[in-house]
Amino acid sequence: MKNTKYLLLGIAAVVCAAIVGRSYTYKYRAQDTILVTGLGEAEFTSDLIVWSGEVTAEAQQVAAGYAQIEKSKQKVQEYLAAKGVSAGETVFAFVNVEKQYDPIYNANGNWAGQRFAGYRLRQRFTVESADVEKVETVSREISSLIAQGVSIEAYAPDYYYTKLDDVKMGLIEKASADARTRAEKIALNAGTKIGRVASARMGVFQITGANTNEEFSAGGSFNTSSRQKKARITMRIEYRIK
């Protein structure tokens, strides 16, 4: 019985020694790597523009409001056609109709209800085109229709790039190459060489306006307000040391 006790103690000591030995080995191996972050950046010009505007009308009768909207819509279509914007590039949405009310106050200045004031109608139109320069100019000059009696509101254009997948793949290559260069310099200074990749993790894809101070977002930025853009991605790569 006594011998069995000593035997069990001996086995336990061997097992503990093996576990401790493996822990030190793992710790050594975990530190026997180089972890670097590579950066890939590229600037590009948007090749697609999406611009919206809205024609509006106010009238006591819905029919009269629709007539005003239709007249304004026709002038907008004629203007766009004259500027080289094709009908296929322009989409008019449905006409939105809202009832308008004016507040009523009594002699003491207290609110006493509301009075029907008529209808307000709105029709939004959107232009989508690969001719960015043309539509950008139109978006700035269409307010000239106001002089022709058109009630119109124009919004700032949105800019997109249709080959983002190509940009992203190129940035991954750049960031990976940058990470390897950094790791090789670190290894050289340490008197060793890098080996195979132990792990790699891609950062968030960021698109900001070129030459702006936009902040990056944890979930990724996607700028649509700037025609000139900058894309950025990082690669966090861990290399084994030979």
Side-chain angles (χ1 to χ4, degrees):
M1 186 72 176
K2 187 175 182 180
N3 291 335
T4 302
K5 178 180 179 181
Y6 286 124
L7 178 61
L8 291 175
L9 287 174
I11 293 174
V14 172
V15 171
C16 288
I19 293 174
V20 172
R22 289 185 64 183
S23 297
Y24 278 108
T25 300
Y26 176 78
K27 181 179 180 182
Y28 172 76
R29 287 179 178 173
Q31 293 176 342
D32 200 20
T33 60
I34 295 176
L35 182 62
V36 292
T37 300
L39 173 64
E41 289 184 326
E43 292 190 8
F44 55 94
T45 302
S46 303
D47 61 0
L48 180 69
I49 185 171
V50 179
W51 166 64
S52 296
E54 201 171 62
V55 290
T56 64
E58 293 184 357
Q60 287 294 317
Q61 302 295 327
V62 174
Y66 270 109
Q68 292 180 39
I69 287 288
E70 190 60 32
K71 186 176 180 180
S72 295
K73 174 183 176 181
Q74 184 176 351
K75 288 186 177 181
V76 169
Q77 290 174 321
E78 291 173 353
Y79 180 85
L80 294 177
K83 295 295 183 178
V85 179
S86 68
E89 295 175 316
T90 309
V91 176
F92 280 83
F94 64 91
V95 178
N96 182 277
V97 181
E98 299 175 354
K99 290 184 177 181
Q100 303 293 302
Y101 296 91
D102 291 332
I104 300 174
Y105 299 94
N106 59 28
N108 296 323
N110 297 320
W111 187 79
Q114 57 186 11
R115 179 190 299 112
F116 176 69
Y119 297 92
R120 178 178 173 80
L121 294 84
R122 297 179 292 112
Q123 185 171 29
R124 191 182 184 94
F125 62 90
T126 302
V127 177
E128 182 175 319
S129 175
D131 195 334
V132 179
E133 186 72 35
K134 176 182 66 181
V135 177
E136 191 177 60
T137 301
V138 171
S139 70
R140 292 193 298 263
E141 298 177 351
I142 198 168
S143 57
S144 61
L145 287 178
I146 295 176
Q148 300 181 33
V150 178
S151 178
I152 187 170
E153 297 177 11
Y155 306 107
D158 288 322
Y159 300 91
Y160 301 92
Y161 189 62
T162 59
K163 301 176 183 177
L164 275 183
D165 286 343
D166 294 339
V167 171
K168 190 172 184 179
M169 292 304 297
L171 292 185
I172 292 174
E173 292 181 7
K174 285 185 178 181
S176 299
D178 182 51
R180 185 173 185 84
T181 299
R182 292 170 187 264
E184 288 175 342
K185 289 182 179 179
I186 294 173
L188 180 63
N189 292 334
T192 185
K193 294 182 179 180
I194 62 172
R196 65 181 179 84
V197 174
S199 65
R201 183 177 181 181
M202 184 176 69
V204 178
F205 191 38
Q206 309 276 0
I207 299 178
T208 60
N211 304 316
T212 66
N213 294 320
E214 288 181 63
E215 295 184 358
F216 297 126
S217 168
S221 301
F222 190 78
N223 175 286
T224 60
S225 61
S226 302
R227 183 175 176 182
Q228 302 296 326
K229 302 182 188 296
K230 176 185 284 188
R232 180 182 188 270
I233 203 167
T234 58
M235 288 295 297
R236 187 177 175 87
I237 303 178
E238 183 179 16
Y239 291 93
R240 294 290 185 191
I241 295 176
K242 291 183 178 179

